[in-house]
Amino acid sequence: MKRVVIIGAGPAGLTAGVELLEKSSEYEVIILEESNQAGGISRTVRHNGKRMDIGGHRFFSKDRDVNKWWLDRMPLQGAKSYDDKILGRESELSADGPDPEKEDNVMLSRTRISRIYYKHHFFDYPVKMNWNTIKNMGFFSFLSAGVSYLKSVIWKRPEDNLENFYINRFGRKLYSMFFEKYTEKLWGRHPDVISADWGAQRVKGLSVFAILRDIITKGIFGKRRKQVETSLIEQFLYPKYGPGQLWENAAKEFTDKGGTILYGAKVTRFQTQNDEISEVIFQRDGKEEQIQSDIVISSMPLKDLTAGLPDVPKDIAGIAKGLPYRDFVTVGIEVGSLALQNKTRRKTLNNIVPDCWIYVQDGEVKLGRVQIFNNWSPYMLPEPEKTVWLGLEFFCTEGDRFWNMSPEEWKELGAAELRKLKIITPEEEILDFHCEKVKKAYPAYFDTYNEIDRLIDFLTAHCKNLYCIGRNGQHRYNNMDHSMETAFQAVSNILTGRQQKDNVWNVNTEQEYHEVCSAKEE
């Protein structure tokens, strides 16, 4: 049997491991996971009977294989089939799926509501051309935004940075209101020094024109449209107890199929022979261990992977070392109520605002985004009708002043900024809190990123049995479904003997992200 060593028990690594063992009996598969929990940044943390999603993870994909993989393992509430639900044709479903009140292993169907919070007003995300936007912006600001957009249509800027990318699609006025400050908080750099690649990947074809087209298409065709921009998706799936529930199930499935997971195993370096990785060296329980490898599937950061390889040329090592990342801290805060009023038509428990995420554009606060766990799943806390469980997201860099703050300091900062933003009242008591730090959460698109192709070419030529998958494994800001797709492609190559790896690296590089139609429509 050939031995496959997988580095990382996140979505990409676990998907690869399960797929290999499910489709072939010719491989011994071992996963090395640095932490003591499966799921990577898609894990779910438990604290005092409550659950925290690290970063907020929507289960949505236009890839039917990904959707099937999820729903084969966690059935959708109230539905036998997944095809029509994912593609928005809910009326054709049979409502006899699992009941989340009675069963735990179930996917919930959720409505995406994520808004921008700017100068104490809510704006739709993506921004919509409606009365709410005009009222909150003010007529003259709205008019200025329209003129600014028309100007951007006529005079296009060279898309050599993220600022120009956004201005070309939204105009300078909307860019400065709804993109500039948040982007700078997220990356710690101004958008004019960030590659436009990030914008092209994350918003796919989203623009003012795309928003207007979406509004018109909905009005004419309703929900049966065949194509939609990723950033306009309104429905998604979510495990009853958070995303970690699915990945914990996947980890158990992997070991039940005969795979091995070594937790607390930090990969530090490699041995190579004949342009292949022959041994993986890792530290566990304070001791260094090594394991022979016929094939290596890596989701560890490219920076760390390259640093552990022998005989890397100086220029290639410099590219890898210079790849930047952004770290973040999630602070869970439980309160009795919010000061924000639910002025929408959506009914919620305790009548709280219905948002999953609130994007904070205010540049005077450190806070970047607020999750309301009650709205992701009411099962994330013991009494969702009595308290509100928030996740406050702060972006920082490992080792800086914010990263080194104590949990108590994070609690005080989080509470102070919630009060400053008038999300809670000055008198609101903090009932509970929890702090989670996440390293290398966001691969960044600046510094040596523009030379990453040279690094990829080196790894392809000198580590022929290596497959780089997942967000950090490819230094690409992949969503969960894209990370899984890289795993599917890597496993397919292994099973078919395909030598080229372009299919693995090309996942999530397309400009358009199309709906996949059901066989009935084709």
Side-chain angles (χ1 to χ4, degrees):
M1 294 179 71
K2 290 186 177 181
R3 175 177 289 166
V4 179
V5 178
I6 298 176
I7 304 171
L14 286 170
T15 300
V18 170
E19 286 290 294
L20 268 174
L21 293 178
E22 189 172 81
K23 294 180 177 179
S24 175
S25 59
E26 297 178 5
Y27 299 94
E28 175 193 10
V29 187
I30 300 172
I31 296 179
L32 305 177
E33 168 56 40
E34 181 177 354
S35 73
N36 294 309
Q37 184 178 357
I41 62 172
S42 296
R43 69 187 183 275
T44 299
V45 175
R46 294 169 175 81
H47 172 74
N48 290 344
K50 297 178 286 294
R51 289 173 166 82
M52 285 178 59
D53 182 350
I54 305 299
H57 293 84
R58 290 185 296 136
F59 283 67
F60 172 82
S61 179
K62 296 178 184 179
D63 186 304
R64 289 180 62 194
D65 290 336
V66 172
N67 287 313
K68 187 176 188 304
W69 204 95
W70 286 334
L71 292 166
D72 280 349
R73 287 155 180 81
M74 293 192 72
L76 176 61
Q77 70 175 109
K80 282 183 179 179
S81 169
Y82 66 90
D83 285 329
D84 289 332
K85 185 71 176 181
I86 295 302
L87 297 179
R89 293 184 295 276
E90 301 175 32
S91 62
E92 301 176 24
L93 290 174
S94 300
D96 57 356
D99 181 354
E101 290 295 326
K102 298 177 181 178
E103 299 182 38
D104 287 340
N105 197 47
V106 57
M107 280 280 197
L108 308 179
S109 176
R110 316 307 291 161
T111 298
R112 170 186 174 161
I113 304 177
S114 299
R115 292 183 291 175
I116 295 168
Y117 192 61
Y118 177 71
K119 293 187 176 179
H120 307 301
H121 291 292
F122 278 111
F123 293 84
D124 296 303
Y125 179 80
V127 178
K128 294 179 181 178
M129 305 307 167
N130 56 22
W131 170 245
N132 180 68
T133 301
I134 298 173
K135 180 182 67 174
N136 289 339
M137 284 181 66
F139 176 75
F140 290 105
S141 289
F142 183 81
L143 184 63
S144 174
V147 172
S148 175
Y149 171 66
L150 290 175
K151 183 179 177 181
S152 74
V153 171
I154 299 170
W155 291 287
K156 290 294 184 184
R157 293 166 172 252
E159 294 195 352
D160 50 6
N161 61 56
L162 187 57
E163 178 173 75
N164 288 349
F165 175 90
Y166 280 136
I167 291 174
N168 280 347
R169 283 155 181 76
F170 298 94
R172 175 169 284 281
K173 181 69 175 181
L174 290 178
Y175 157 73
S176 64
M177 291 177 66
F178 299 127
F179 293 93
E180 185 174 19
K181 293 299 182 182
Y182 181 83
T183 303
E184 192 167 7
K185 278 194 282 188
L186 172 57
W187 296 114
R189 304 281 185 94
H190 192 270
D192 64 5
V193 298
I194 299 175
S195 169
D197 289 358
W198 186 82
Q201 183 187 3
R202 296 301 292 178
V203 301
K204 296 300 180 188
L206 184 63
S207 63
V208 170
F209 176 77
I211 295 168
L212 292 173
R213 183 182 63 192
D214 185 70
I215 293 169
I216 294 169
T217 304
K218 284 180 183 177
I220 297 173
F221 300 108
K223 292 186 177 181
R224 296 188 66 88
R225 65 195 186 282
K226 292 184 179 180
Q227 182 179 339
V228 65
E229 302 297 346
T230 305
S231 295
L232 297 172
I233 296 303
E234 296 177 352
Q235 299 289 327
F236 65 93
L237 308 178
Y238 195 76
K240 177 178 178 178
Y241 293 122
Q245 182 184 10
L246 183 137
W247 298 113
E248 289 162 14
N249 289 355
K252 183 178 185 303
E253 179 182 355
F254 173 73
T255 55
D256 287 347
K257 290 179 183 294
T260 300
I261 302 179
L262 300 181
Y263 290 103
K266 180 180 180 179
V267 174
T268 56
R269 56 193 179 92
F270 307 89
Q271 293 294 333
T272 59
Q273 186 175 356
N274 299 325
D275 288 331
E276 290 190 343
I277 296 177
S278 56
E279 289 186 345
V280 179
I281 294 93
F282 59 97
Q283 292 182 346
R284 187 167 63 132
D285 297 329
K287 298 178 181 179
E288 185 172 88
E289 302 181 43
Q290 60 188 43
I291 186 170
Q292 177 270 333
S293 57
D294 295 301
I295 298 170
V296 176
I297 301 177
S298 172
S299 64
M300 71 185 291
L302 274 181
K303 172 183 284 190
D304 299 337
L305 170 75
T306 309
L309 290 170
D311 304 321
V312 177
K314 186 176 181 180
D315 59 333
I316 299 299
I319 294 170
K321 186 176 181 180
L323 288 175
Y325 298 83
R326 194 68 164 151
D327 313 289
F328 85 105
V329 177
T330 293
V331 182
I333 286 185
E334 185 179 24
V335 294
S337 62
L338 302 180
L340 302 173
Q341 294 182 356
N342 181 13
K343 296 181 179 180
T344 72
R345 297 180 180 179
R346 298 190 182 275
K347 295 181 180 180
T348 60
L349 285 172
N350 212 19
N351 201 35
I352 61 174
V353 290
D355 304 76
C356 299
W357 279 307
I358 297 173
Y359 292 89
V360 180
Q361 299 294 336
D362 193 332
E364 295 183 1
V365 295
K366 179 73 173 173
L367 180 59
R369 195 167 64 174
V370 181
Q371 291 187 76
I372 304 178
F373 293 120
N374 305 53
N375 295 333
W376 287 89
S377 168
Y379 305 98
M380 297 287 277
L381 63 161
E383 298 181 301
E385 71 284 352
K386 293 182 180 180
T387 65
V388 185
W389 182 223
L390 304 172
L392 314 186
E393 297 182 15
F394 296 89
F395 310 112
C396 53
T397 300
E398 183 182 357
D400 70 11
R401 180 173 67 87
F402 288 100
W403 178 266
N404 290 325
M405 283 174 25
S406 68
E408 189 67 33
E409 288 175 315
W410 276 113
K411 171 195 171 184
E412 294 302 321
L413 175 63
E417 296 206 338
L418 287 175
R419 293 178 176 123
K420 183 174 184 178
L421 293 166
K422 299 182 180 179
I423 293 177
I424 63 174
T425 64
E427 300 79 21
E428 186 67 45
E429 180 184 357
I430 306 302
L431 303 176
D432 195 9
F433 81 98
H434 181 69
C435 179
E436 285 285 328
K437 297 181 178 181
V438 183
K439 298 179 182 179
K440 294 183 173 66
Y442 305 114
Y445 289 35
F446 40 83
D447 294 344
T448 60
Y449 170 79
N450 64 343
E451 298 183 89
I452 195 171
D453 286 346
R454 292 177 58 203
L455 172 59
I456 294 171
D457 290 343
F458 171 81
L459 293 174
T460 301
H462 297 280
C463 301
K464 294 179 180 178
N465 64 337
L466 169 68
Y467 297 86
C468 295
I469 63 173
R471 175 180 286 197
N472 278 331
Q474 295 193 337
H475 200 87
R476 184 174 295 153
Y477 196 167
N478 286 326
N479 285 329
M480 181 165 47
D481 62 326
H482 294 124
S483 293
M484 293 174 65
E485 288 178 52
T486 63
F488 290 153
Q489 295 296 331
V491 170
S492 174
N493 286 9
I494 292 169
L495 297 180
T496 61
R498 172 176 170 147
Q499 298 300 309
Q500 296 81 10
K501 300 173 185 173
D502 56 302
N503 58 323
V504 182
W505 286 102
N506 286 341
V507 170
N508 195 25
T509 59
E510 75 281 14
Q511 294 299 307
E512 296 276 340
Y513 188 10
H514 294 285
E515 289 277 8
V516 179
C517 300
S518 66
K520 182 169 59 177
E521 285 189 311
E522 294 172 351

